[in-house]
Amino acid sequence: MTWERLEPRMVAVSLTWLLPPLGSTLLTLLLTGGDLDLAAVITLGAIVLTFVVIAAVFAVRLATTRFRLDGDRVELRSGLLLRRHRTVPRDRIRSVDLTATPIHQLLGLRVVRINPGAQAGAGRREVVLDGVGVARAESLRRLLDPGDAAPDTALAVLTWRWLCYAPLSVWGVAGVGVVVGGFFRLLDSLRINPADVGFLRDIWSGLTGMPLWAAIVLPVLIVLGLGAITSLSTFVEGWWGYRLEVAGDAIDMRRGLFSTRSVWLDRARLRGVQISEPQPLRWARGARLNAIAIGLGTSEDRSTSNRSALLPPAPRSEAFRVAAGILPEKPDLLYGLELTGAPRAALRRRLSWGLGGVLLLEAPLVLLGALVTDVLLHIAWISAAVLVPLAIAGAVDAYRNLGSGLHGKYLVTRYGTYNRRTVLLDRAGILGWSIDQSVFQRRAGIATFVAMVGAGRGGYKIRDVAVADGLALASAATPGMLDELLGVA
């Protein structure tokens, strides 16, 4: 087949680099009443110069990039001075993603990501076609799907009742913090004193005029409210139009409002699933679901990952149902899991970690209080009265969440306190075992067993299990693999 070019419309995407300097210019003019000092002019000039350089590099890359589907492989050539030629055999393709930012959608373009599934440096090995027309992107996706099958059934679709689970996350609050921090960094870079900004001065004057408790509680409530709004907006934007389908031997998922995502995964490359329950979601009986599959890369083994996520925050029962459908197994697969807990030594370790962390925080306060002022001593005992029970409760919760066992053809491991994770690994996909022991673990007669797989993060831990129990579990999960270690003839 002939070599194809990326769409020339992609040149317009480089215009998005103008948004930061233009936005900062308008904000600076707004905050200073239309006046720009020399430092601000130099800063903006540097930003514009950077934009020009990046736009030029972007144009050269676009002009020198070619791709083609040639029989049994996909080829990509790019570069002017440093030529790069990538080839991916079609039978090695593990996943195909179509994504589109709002600018891409406006221009009728898509980004096609073809992942060969190498775990080491997967992001560097994938072939990215940034700037393919919508029709051509869809045809590439169909051609590269070895199953080439029409969807059999919709395993899950978006239910707006799930929206109530969106605010049960710290990420919305973290986003507010990032925006506020970025705003103050911008003021600092432009040499603007926050006290000279009218609305900031008014906010500070209002807070100082309130009672102390109100001046503390009101900002917290505002941040939590803004965080909830951010989480709701992110949920709607990221999961709009969500539809998860089983297409022959593949999993097909589409979602997104402004930035769309279309993910295809060969189910033969699936090595298990991970169910994550952050504490707020756990209180509401909610959970997240992620795939553990060859081709997603080690950096994508996170509960908030865009590539491995199979389900938005949803009821735990829905996560169980979809996980069973993905594997595929009976709908009641995840109900009635019987896991073996960890020995008491694991509880002692977690109590030591929690109380040790409190001690590290309190020791400087006690030392400075003894040397400088009694006020710090009062702060130390008051904070300790709060932190010690929290540390003990966290340690006990982490201990109770530890568990492992065999469930049908799956090895199951559970761990975590703030974010409890339950991992189901297909035992046939376990490539080996690693047994880790610290000095303290050896004294307690426990160890951490790591099941090595060629997917996800590469290894999944069974934490602080008795050595004999861990060896018995590993031997039962992968018969014959540990015979030499166990001295079995």
Side-chain angles (χ1 to χ4, degrees), residues 241-288:
Y242 164 74
R243 186 177 182 86
L244 181 67
E245 297 176 326
V246 177
D249 293 328
I251 301 166
D252 190 357
M253 183 180 67
R254 298 171 185 262
R255 63 185 178 93
L257 179 59
F258 300 116
S259 297
T260 61
R261 176 171 290 275
S262 178
V263 179
W264 166 82
L265 285 173
D266 184 354
R267 195 150 58 174
R269 310 301 176 184
L270 198 65
R271 293 296 178 263
V273 295
Q274 175 178 271
I275 297 171
S276 303
E277 301 169 85
Q279 190 64 65
L281 270 181
R282 206 194 321 170
W283 287 333
R285 296 185 178 275
R288 296 175 179 269

Short mmCIF file of all heavy atoms in Angstrom, two decimals, residues 241-288:
data_model
loop_
_atom_site.label_atom_id
_atom_site.label_comp_id
_atom_site.label_asym_id
_atom_site.label_seq_id
_atom_site.Cartn_x
_atom_site.Cartn_y
_atom_site.Cartn_z
N GLY A 241 -21.78 9.38 27.13
CA GLY A 241 -21.91 8.41 26.04
C GLY A 241 -21.21 7.10 26.29
O GLY A 241 -20.99 6.32 25.35
N TYR A 242 -20.86 6.80 27.55
CA TYR A 242 -20.14 5.56 27.87
C TYR A 242 -20.93 4.33 27.43
O TYR A 242 -22.12 4.20 27.69
CB TYR A 242 -19.88 5.51 29.38
CG TYR A 242 -19.51 4.15 29.90
CD1 TYR A 242 -18.25 3.61 29.69
CD2 TYR A 242 -20.43 3.40 30.65
CE1 TYR A 242 -17.90 2.36 30.18
CE2 TYR A 242 -20.09 2.16 31.16
CZ TYR A 242 -18.84 1.64 30.91
OH TYR A 242 -18.50 0.40 31.41
N ARG A 243 -20.23 3.44 26.75
CA ARG A 243 -20.82 2.19 26.31
C ARG A 243 -19.72 1.15 26.22
O ARG A 243 -18.72 1.33 25.51
CB ARG A 243 -21.50 2.36 24.95
CG ARG A 243 -22.28 1.11 24.48
CD ARG A 243 -22.98 1.37 23.17
NE ARG A 243 -23.76 0.23 22.72
CZ ARG A 243 -25.01 -0.02 23.08
NH1 ARG A 243 -25.63 0.82 23.90
NH2 ARG A 243 -25.64 -1.09 22.63
N LEU A 244 -19.88 0.06 26.96
CA LEU A 244 -18.91 -1.03 26.99
C LEU A 244 -19.55 -2.24 26.33
O LEU A 244 -20.60 -2.72 26.78
CB LEU A 244 -18.50 -1.35 28.43
CG LEU A 244 -17.47 -2.45 28.63
CD1 LEU A 244 -16.11 -2.04 28.09
CD2 LEU A 244 -17.35 -2.81 30.12
N GLU A 245 -18.91 -2.74 25.27
CA GLU A 245 -19.48 -3.84 24.50
C GLU A 245 -18.50 -4.99 24.39
O GLU A 245 -17.28 -4.80 24.42
CB GLU A 245 -19.87 -3.36 23.10
CG GLU A 245 -20.95 -2.29 23.10
CD GLU A 245 -21.23 -1.78 21.69
OE1 GLU A 245 -20.29 -1.73 20.88
OE2 GLU A 245 -22.39 -1.45 21.41
N VAL A 246 -19.04 -6.17 24.27
CA VAL A 246 -18.24 -7.35 23.94
C VAL A 246 -18.39 -7.59 22.45
O VAL A 246 -19.50 -7.83 21.96
CB VAL A 246 -18.72 -8.58 24.74
CG1 VAL A 246 -17.93 -9.81 24.32
CG2 VAL A 246 -18.58 -8.33 26.23
N ALA A 247 -17.28 -7.47 21.72
CA ALA A 247 -17.31 -7.63 20.27
C ALA A 247 -16.47 -8.86 19.91
O ALA A 247 -15.26 -8.77 19.75
CB ALA A 247 -16.76 -6.38 19.58
N GLY A 248 -17.13 -9.99 19.80
CA GLY A 248 -16.40 -11.23 19.52
C GLY A 248 -15.45 -11.54 20.65
O GLY A 248 -15.85 -11.69 21.80
N ASP A 249 -14.16 -11.59 20.35
CA ASP A 249 -13.13 -11.86 21.35
C ASP A 249 -12.46 -10.58 21.82
O ASP A 249 -11.33 -10.61 22.31
CB ASP A 249 -12.07 -12.80 20.76
CG ASP A 249 -12.63 -14.18 20.48
OD1 ASP A 249 -13.53 -14.61 21.24
OD2 ASP A 249 -12.18 -14.83 19.52
N ALA A 250 -13.14 -9.46 21.68
CA ALA A 250 -12.56 -8.19 22.06
C ALA A 250 -13.52 -7.39 22.93
O ALA A 250 -14.72 -7.66 22.99
CB ALA A 250 -12.18 -7.37 20.82
N ILE A 251 -12.97 -6.41 23.63
CA ILE A 251 -13.73 -5.47 24.44
C ILE A 251 -13.68 -4.12 23.75
O ILE A 251 -12.60 -3.64 23.40
CB ILE A 251 -13.15 -5.38 25.85
CG1 ILE A 251 -13.16 -6.74 26.53
CG2 ILE A 251 -13.92 -4.36 26.69
CD1 ILE A 251 -12.31 -6.80 27.77
N ASP A 252 -14.83 -3.52 23.55
CA ASP A 252 -14.92 -2.25 22.84
C ASP A 252 -15.60 -1.24 23.75
O ASP A 252 -16.72 -1.46 24.21
CB ASP A 252 -15.73 -2.44 21.55
CG ASP A 252 -15.65 -1.23 20.65
OD1 ASP A 252 -15.01 -0.24 21.04
OD2 ASP A 252 -16.23 -1.27 19.55
N MET A 253 -14.90 -0.12 24.04
CA MET A 253 -15.46 0.90 24.91
C MET A 253 -15.34 2.27 24.27
O MET A 253 -14.31 2.61 23.70
CB MET A 253 -14.75 0.92 26.27
CG MET A 253 -15.33 1.93 27.25
SD MET A 253 -14.46 1.94 28.84
CE MET A 253 -12.87 2.61 28.34
N ARG A 254 -16.41 3.05 24.35
CA ARG A 254 -16.43 4.41 23.83
C ARG A 254 -16.99 5.32 24.91
O ARG A 254 -17.96 4.99 25.57
CB ARG A 254 -17.28 4.50 22.56
CG ARG A 254 -16.77 3.65 21.40
CD ARG A 254 -17.78 3.61 20.25
NE ARG A 254 -17.33 2.72 19.21
CZ ARG A 254 -16.70 3.11 18.10
NH1 ARG A 254 -16.44 4.38 17.92
NH2 ARG A 254 -16.33 2.23 17.19
N ARG A 255 -16.37 6.50 25.05
CA ARG A 255 -16.85 7.47 26.03
C ARG A 255 -16.24 8.83 25.77
O ARG A 255 -15.25 8.94 25.02
CB ARG A 255 -16.51 7.02 27.45
CG ARG A 255 -15.02 6.90 27.76
CD ARG A 255 -14.81 6.35 29.13
NE ARG A 255 -13.40 6.17 29.49
CZ ARG A 255 -12.67 7.06 30.13
NH1 ARG A 255 -13.20 8.24 30.44
NH2 ARG A 255 -11.42 6.80 30.44
N GLY A 256 -16.80 9.86 26.40
CA GLY A 256 -16.24 11.19 26.32
C GLY A 256 -17.18 12.19 25.67
O GLY A 256 -17.92 11.85 24.75
N LEU A 257 -17.15 13.43 26.14
CA LEU A 257 -17.98 14.50 25.60
C LEU A 257 -17.15 15.41 24.72
O LEU A 257 -17.28 15.42 23.51
CB LEU A 257 -18.64 15.28 26.75
CG LEU A 257 -19.53 16.46 26.35
CD1 LEU A 257 -20.67 15.99 25.46
CD2 LEU A 257 -20.05 17.17 27.60
N PHE A 258 -16.26 16.18 25.33
CA PHE A 258 -15.39 17.08 24.54
C PHE A 258 -14.16 16.34 24.04
O PHE A 258 -13.77 16.48 22.88
CB PHE A 258 -14.98 18.29 25.39
CG PHE A 258 -16.14 19.10 25.87
CD1 PHE A 258 -16.42 19.20 27.21
CD2 PHE A 258 -16.99 19.74 24.97
CE1 PHE A 258 -17.50 19.95 27.66
CE2 PHE A 258 -18.07 20.48 25.40
CZ PHE A 258 -18.32 20.58 26.76
N SER A 259 -13.53 15.55 24.93
CA SER A 259 -12.40 14.71 24.52
C SER A 259 -12.91 13.27 24.49
O SER A 259 -13.19 12.69 25.54
CB SER A 259 -11.24 14.84 25.51
OG SER A 259 -10.74 16.15 25.54
N THR A 260 -13.05 12.73 23.31
CA THR A 260 -13.62 11.38 23.17
C THR A 260 -12.53 10.33 23.21
O THR A 260 -11.37 10.59 22.88
CB THR A 260 -14.40 11.25 21.85
OG1 THR A 260 -13.50 11.47 20.75
CG2 THR A 260 -15.52 12.27 21.79
N ARG A 261 -12.91 9.14 23.63
CA ARG A 261 -11.98 8.01 23.69
C ARG A 261 -12.69 6.75 23.23
O ARG A 261 -13.82 6.49 23.65
CB ARG A 261 -11.45 7.81 25.12
CG ARG A 261 -10.56 6.59 25.29
CD ARG A 261 -9.91 6.58 26.64
NE ARG A 261 -8.91 7.63 26.73
CZ ARG A 261 -7.66 7.52 26.32
NH1 ARG A 261 -7.23 6.38 25.80
NH2 ARG A 261 -6.82 8.52 26.42
N SER A 262 -12.02 6.02 22.36
CA SER A 262 -12.53 4.75 21.88
C SER A 262 -11.43 3.72 22.04
O SER A 262 -10.34 3.87 21.47
CB SER A 262 -12.95 4.85 20.41
OG SER A 262 -13.40 3.62 19.92
N VAL A 263 -11.67 2.71 22.88
CA VAL A 263 -10.64 1.74 23.24
C VAL A 263 -11.08 0.35 22.80
O VAL A 263 -12.22 -0.06 23.04
CB VAL A 263 -10.38 1.76 24.76
CG1 VAL A 263 -9.32 0.73 25.14
CG2 VAL A 263 -9.95 3.15 25.21
N TRP A 264 -10.16 -0.34 22.17
CA TRP A 264 -10.38 -1.74 21.81
C TRP A 264 -9.30 -2.58 22.48
O TRP A 264 -8.11 -2.26 22.42
CB TRP A 264 -10.33 -1.92 20.30
CG TRP A 264 -10.23 -3.36 19.89
CD1 TRP A 264 -11.24 -4.26 19.79
CD2 TRP A 264 -9.02 -4.08 19.59
NE1 TRP A 264 -10.75 -5.49 19.44
CE2 TRP A 264 -9.40 -5.41 19.31
CE3 TRP A 264 -7.68 -3.73 19.54
CZ2 TRP A 264 -8.46 -6.37 18.98
CZ3 TRP A 264 -6.75 -4.69 19.22
CH2 TRP A 264 -7.15 -6.01 18.93
N LEU A 265 -9.69 -3.66 23.15
CA LEU A 265 -8.77 -4.58 23.79
C LEU A 265 -9.10 -6.01 23.39
O LEU A 265 -10.26 -6.42 23.45
CB LEU A 265 -8.85 -4.47 25.32
CG LEU A 265 -8.21 -3.26 25.99
CD1 LEU A 265 -8.55 -3.25 27.47
CD2 LEU A 265 -6.71 -3.26 25.80
N ASP A 266 -8.08 -6.74 23.00
CA ASP A 266 -8.25 -8.17 22.71
C ASP A 266 -8.40 -8.90 24.05
O ASP A 266 -7.52 -8.85 24.90
CB ASP A 266 -7.02 -8.67 21.96
CG ASP A 266 -7.16 -10.13 21.53
OD1 ASP A 266 -8.16 -10.77 21.93
OD2 ASP A 266 -6.28 -10.62 20.81
N ARG A 267 -9.52 -9.58 24.24
CA ARG A 267 -9.79 -10.23 25.52
C ARG A 267 -8.79 -11.36 25.79
O ARG A 267 -8.57 -11.73 26.95
CB ARG A 267 -11.22 -10.77 25.56
CG ARG A 267 -11.67 -11.13 26.95
CD ARG A 267 -13.14 -10.97 27.16
NE ARG A 267 -13.94 -11.76 26.24
CZ ARG A 267 -15.26 -11.86 26.31
NH1 ARG A 267 -15.91 -11.21 27.25
NH2 ARG A 267 -15.94 -12.58 25.44
N ALA A 268 -8.17 -11.90 24.76
CA ALA A 268 -7.14 -12.92 24.98
C ALA A 268 -5.93 -12.35 25.71
O ALA A 268 -5.13 -13.11 26.28
CB ALA A 268 -6.72 -13.52 23.64
N ARG A 269 -5.77 -11.01 25.67
CA ARG A 269 -4.64 -10.38 26.35
C ARG A 269 -4.97 -9.97 27.77
O ARG A 269 -4.12 -9.43 28.48
CB ARG A 269 -4.19 -9.13 25.56
CG ARG A 269 -3.97 -9.38 24.08
CD ARG A 269 -2.92 -10.44 23.83
NE ARG A 269 -2.78 -10.75 22.41
CZ ARG A 269 -1.98 -11.69 21.92
NH1 ARG A 269 -1.26 -12.41 22.74
NH2 ARG A 269 -1.92 -11.91 20.64
N LEU A 270 -6.19 -10.22 28.20
CA LEU A 270 -6.62 -9.86 29.54
C LEU A 270 -6.02 -10.83 30.55
O LEU A 270 -6.09 -12.05 30.37
CB LEU A 270 -8.15 -9.88 29.62
CG LEU A 270 -8.81 -9.14 30.78
CD1 LEU A 270 -8.56 -7.65 30.68
CD2 LEU A 270 -10.30 -9.42 30.78
N ARG A 271 -5.43 -10.30 31.59
CA ARG A 271 -4.82 -11.13 32.63
C ARG A 271 -5.55 -11.02 33.98
O ARG A 271 -5.17 -11.68 34.94
CB ARG A 271 -3.35 -10.76 32.82
CG ARG A 271 -2.48 -11.11 31.61
CD ARG A 271 -2.45 -12.60 31.39
NE ARG A 271 -1.67 -12.98 30.22
CZ ARG A 271 -2.18 -13.22 29.03
NH1 ARG A 271 -3.50 -13.13 28.84
NH2 ARG A 271 -1.43 -13.56 28.01
N GLY A 272 -6.57 -10.19 34.03
CA GLY A 272 -7.32 -10.07 35.27
C GLY A 272 -7.97 -8.70 35.36
O GLY A 272 -7.98 -7.92 34.41
N VAL A 273 -8.54 -8.42 36.52
CA VAL A 273 -9.18 -7.13 36.77
C VAL A 273 -8.79 -6.65 38.16
O VAL A 273 -8.37 -7.43 39.02
CB VAL A 273 -10.72 -7.21 36.65
CG1 VAL A 273 -11.14 -7.54 35.24
CG2 VAL A 273 -11.28 -8.23 37.65
N GLN A 274 -8.94 -5.35 38.36
CA GLN A 274 -8.67 -4.75 39.65
C GLN A 274 -9.88 -3.90 40.07
O GLN A 274 -10.33 -3.05 39.30
CB GLN A 274 -7.43 -3.87 39.58
CG GLN A 274 -7.14 -3.11 40.87
CD GLN A 274 -5.87 -2.29 40.77
OE1 GLN A 274 -4.78 -2.76 41.06
NE2 GLN A 274 -6.01 -1.05 40.33
N ILE A 275 -10.40 -4.16 41.25
CA ILE A 275 -11.53 -3.40 41.79
C ILE A 275 -10.98 -2.51 42.89
O ILE A 275 -10.41 -3.00 43.88
CB ILE A 275 -12.63 -4.33 42.34
CG1 ILE A 275 -13.19 -5.18 41.19
CG2 ILE A 275 -13.74 -3.53 43.00
CD1 ILE A 275 -14.12 -6.26 41.64
N SER A 276 -11.13 -1.20 42.72
CA SER A 276 -10.61 -0.22 43.68
C SER A 276 -11.76 0.43 44.42
O SER A 276 -12.76 0.81 43.81
CB SER A 276 -9.79 0.86 42.95
OG SER A 276 -8.73 0.28 42.22
N GLU A 277 -11.58 0.55 45.73
CA GLU A 277 -12.60 1.15 46.57
C GLU A 277 -11.98 2.21 47.47
O GLU A 277 -11.64 1.94 48.63
CB GLU A 277 -13.29 0.08 47.43
CG GLU A 277 -13.97 -1.02 46.64
CD GLU A 277 -14.39 -2.17 47.52
OE1 GLU A 277 -15.50 -2.09 48.10
OE2 GLU A 277 -13.63 -3.14 47.64
N PRO A 278 -11.77 3.43 46.97
CA PRO A 278 -11.32 4.51 47.85
C PRO A 278 -12.31 4.69 49.00
O PRO A 278 -13.50 4.42 48.85
CB PRO A 278 -11.32 5.74 46.92
CG PRO A 278 -11.20 5.17 45.54
CD PRO A 278 -11.93 3.87 45.58
N GLN A 279 -11.81 5.14 50.15
CA GLN A 279 -12.63 5.15 51.36
C GLN A 279 -13.99 5.83 51.18
O GLN A 279 -15.01 5.25 51.57
CB GLN A 279 -11.85 5.81 52.51
CG GLN A 279 -12.51 5.67 53.85
CD GLN A 279 -12.60 4.23 54.31
OE1 GLN A 279 -11.58 3.59 54.54
NE2 GLN A 279 -13.80 3.70 54.45
N PRO A 280 -14.08 7.02 50.59
CA PRO A 280 -15.41 7.62 50.41
C PRO A 280 -16.34 6.75 49.56
O PRO A 280 -17.53 6.62 49.85
CB PRO A 280 -15.12 8.96 49.72
CG PRO A 280 -13.71 9.28 50.10
CD PRO A 280 -13.02 7.95 50.15
N LEU A 281 -15.80 6.13 48.50
CA LEU A 281 -16.61 5.24 47.67
C LEU A 281 -17.01 3.99 48.45
O LEU A 281 -18.12 3.48 48.31
CB LEU A 281 -15.83 4.83 46.41
CG LEU A 281 -15.98 5.70 45.16
CD1 LEU A 281 -15.16 5.12 44.03
CD2 LEU A 281 -17.43 5.84 44.76
N ARG A 282 -16.10 3.49 49.27
CA ARG A 282 -16.40 2.29 50.05
C ARG A 282 -17.56 2.56 51.02
O ARG A 282 -18.41 1.71 51.22
CB ARG A 282 -15.16 1.84 50.82
CG ARG A 282 -15.16 0.35 51.13
CD ARG A 282 -14.14 -0.07 52.16
NE ARG A 282 -12.86 0.59 52.07
CZ ARG A 282 -11.92 0.46 53.01
NH1 ARG A 282 -12.15 -0.28 54.09
NH2 ARG A 282 -10.77 1.09 52.91
N TRP A 283 -17.57 3.75 51.65
CA TRP A 283 -18.66 4.10 52.55
C TRP A 283 -20.00 4.11 51.80
O TRP A 283 -21.03 3.77 52.38
CB TRP A 283 -18.42 5.46 53.18
CG TRP A 283 -17.35 5.45 54.22
CD1 TRP A 283 -16.96 4.38 54.99
CD2 TRP A 283 -16.51 6.55 54.60
NE1 TRP A 283 -15.93 4.75 55.83
CE2 TRP A 283 -15.64 6.07 55.63
CE3 TRP A 283 -16.40 7.87 54.19
CZ2 TRP A 283 -14.69 6.88 56.24
CZ3 TRP A 283 -15.47 8.69 54.80
CH2 TRP A 283 -14.62 8.20 55.81
N ALA A 284 -19.97 4.51 50.53
CA ALA A 284 -21.20 4.58 49.74
C ALA A 284 -21.44 3.29 48.96
O ALA A 284 -22.32 3.26 48.08
CB ALA A 284 -21.12 5.76 48.77
N ARG A 285 -20.68 2.23 49.24
CA ARG A 285 -20.79 0.95 48.53
C ARG A 285 -20.57 1.11 47.02
O ARG A 285 -21.28 0.53 46.21
CB ARG A 285 -22.14 0.29 48.81
CG ARG A 285 -22.34 -0.10 50.26
CD ARG A 285 -23.64 -0.86 50.47
NE ARG A 285 -23.78 -1.26 51.86
CZ ARG A 285 -23.27 -2.36 52.41
NH1 ARG A 285 -22.56 -3.17 51.64
NH2 ARG A 285 -23.45 -2.64 53.68
N GLY A 286 -19.56 1.92 46.70
CA GLY A 286 -19.20 2.13 45.30
C GLY A 286 -17.81 1.58 45.03
O GLY A 286 -17.07 1.20 45.94
N ALA A 287 -17.42 1.54 43.75
CA ALA A 287 -16.11 1.01 43.38
C ALA A 287 -15.76 1.44 41.96
O ALA A 287 -16.61 1.91 41.20
CB ALA A 287 -16.11 -0.52 43.47
N ARG A 288 -14.49 1.29 41.63
CA ARG A 288 -13.99 1.47 40.26
C ARG A 288 -13.51 0.12 39.74
O ARG A 288 -13.14 -0.77 40.53
CB ARG A 288 -12.81 2.45 40.23
CG ARG A 288 -13.14 3.88 40.65
CD ARG A 288 -11.87 4.71 40.69
NE ARG A 288 -12.09 6.09 41.05
CZ ARG A 288 -12.31 7.07 40.18
NH1 ARG A 288 -12.33 6.79 38.89
NH2 ARG A 288 -12.50 8.30 40.59
#
